[in-house]
Amino acid sequence: MSKQNGDTSPQDGGVAVRLFRLTNRLKKKITKMRKPDDTPGFLAPEAIAEADALITELCEDCPAAMNKHFKALVAAWTKMRDMPDGAERKEQAQDMFTVAHEIKDISALCGYDLVSYFAESLRDFVAGTELKLEAQRVIIQAHIDALNVVLKQGIKTDGGAQAEELKKMVKIAIDKYR
Amino acid sequence: MGVEAKPLPYDLSNLTVLIVEDSLYMHSLFSSMLKIFGVGDIMVCEGGHEAMDLITVTQARRKTRYINHIDIVLMDWLMAKGDGKELMKWIRAHEKDEIRFLPVVVVSGYTTDIITATARDMGAHEILVKPVSAKGLAGRICSVIDHPRPFIQAPHYFGPDRRRQALPYKGQERRVTQSEKIRIEDVKTEW
């Protein structure tokens, strides 16, 4: 084993910087050569095309997956909304964070930019807030209402007058109650 | 004149990749993509804590017939059960070379420069911003294989060399430590 982390203290007034030159284990392992050359490799274009086709296929199920997660989000919110401040509500907030994060990931992958925008905003709000009940209610409800409209109407892009209107609605709620 | 041999694509069947991702949708997607790329062994953890336990077992010095050493870690940055930051810190601060030199590709849903810079400054080899494309993932894997940057151990950093190329700089000198004060020490590792 080489020298441990953190023992780079200067001894002669200079700053010690250690440089570890490692053998290219990965290339050796892949090429099964003792001394592989430096030529950059590549993955089979057919494999890349197949993986892209897989993403496209997954995205066909995206609306159903987003709606399923949105239902879970609403259920978590309904449960949490009237809970008194405390450990149980924080736990519920964690569930909301996870579901919003999931919606964000799926929607971003498949190009549902507006869904992704609101899910990310909700996720960050739930993570960053002190969970003051009244303020939280209004802001989370605004996010959920916006997501509901976007999902029901199947709005995919991030632009357009309706998208701007929805973003404005959520921003007003955040500015007013944060 | 002989005919030049056509280069063959990488065969990743010997490779073991660990996916650390808490989204079921995303880890099944990554898993399927890696399988299509031909990766031989794919392991999945739902959070940083689980990953730490698994890496501790797989990277144990004695290799067994049943457990492969992990070659690349593909990790999400934001996770409920131990986030990417915590896992990254644990990997780079580990006493075992088999763990602290592990190549890490961070996958982040955050597109901000702050997250990218944080991941890089904590020792990530590559950063892949969501939404993920097959070309993007393939590119990061090839980069880790083709460009094994040397590791730097400085007073406030341990990780792969962040300078991908040395270019002349004409602006004002802003480095806190002058280059003549830096004593570079080459270290050979068994790893």
Side-chain angles (χ1 to χ4, degrees), chain B residues 4-171:
Chain B
E4 215 172 287
K6 205 178 159 193
L8 291 170
Y10 278 144
D11 170 9
L12 307 181
S13 58
N14 266 346
L15 218 62
T16 300
V17 177
L18 168 66
I19 301 168
V20 191
E21 167 67 78
D22 60 348
S23 159
L24 183 72
Y25 200 81
M26 290 310 290
H27 75 57
S28 67
L29 174 69
F30 283 132
S31 215
S32 305
M33 285 169 87
L34 292 175
K35 219 175 271 174
I36 292 171
F37 290 163
V39 174
D41 193 5
I42 302 158
M43 300 177 182
V44 178
C45 286
E46 288 183 3
H49 298 149
E50 193 187 337
M52 288 174 205
D53 291 342
L54 183 70
I55 292 170
T56 307
V57 174
T58 57
Q59 308 308 90
R61 192 171 282 274
R62 195 175 294 235
K63 207 174 162 184
T64 77
R65 192 189 304 184
Y66 308 103
I67 304 168
N68 288 337
H69 271 189
I70 290 163
D71 297 303
I72 300 176
V73 177
L74 188 66
M75 67 156 87
D76 190 11
W77 195 247
L78 203 67
M79 293 174 288
K81 297 168 192 165
D83 62 14
K85 206 171 171 178
E86 195 182 344
L87 179 58
M88 191 81 238
K89 201 173 166 186
W90 179 83
I91 289 174
R92 292 294 176 244
H94 206 279
E95 60 175 11
K96 273 191 172 171
D97 287 351
E98 290 84 346
I99 295 176
R100 67 178 183 146
F101 290 130
L102 263 173
V104 175
V105 177
V106 168
V107 184
S108 171
Y110 276 103
T111 48
T112 62
D113 290 343
I114 299 169
I115 299 291
T116 309
T118 307
R120 186 200 58 208
D121 290 344
M122 292 186 75
H125 277 76
E126 294 288 335
I127 293 140
L128 182 61
V129 174
K130 291 177 189 171
V132 173
S133 68
K135 200 178 162 191
L137 181 61
R140 299 313 186 284
I141 292 172
C142 284
S143 177
V144 166
I145 298 165
D146 291 329
H147 309 291
R149 284 174 279 151
F151 267 65
I152 302 283
Q153 186 177 16
H156 303 292
Y157 178 72
F158 179 77
D161 192 347
R162 289 170 286 187
R163 298 163 304 175
R164 290 179 189 246
Q165 49 183 336
L167 294 173
Y169 179 66
K170 287 177 185 165

Side-chain angles (χ1 to χ4, degrees), chain A residues 136-150:
Chain A
Q136 188 196 16
R137 269 195 188 134
V138 179
I139 296 171
I140 292 179
Q141 193 61 56
H143 279 94
I144 286 183
D145 290 346
L147 276 170
N148 193 24
V149 172
V150 179

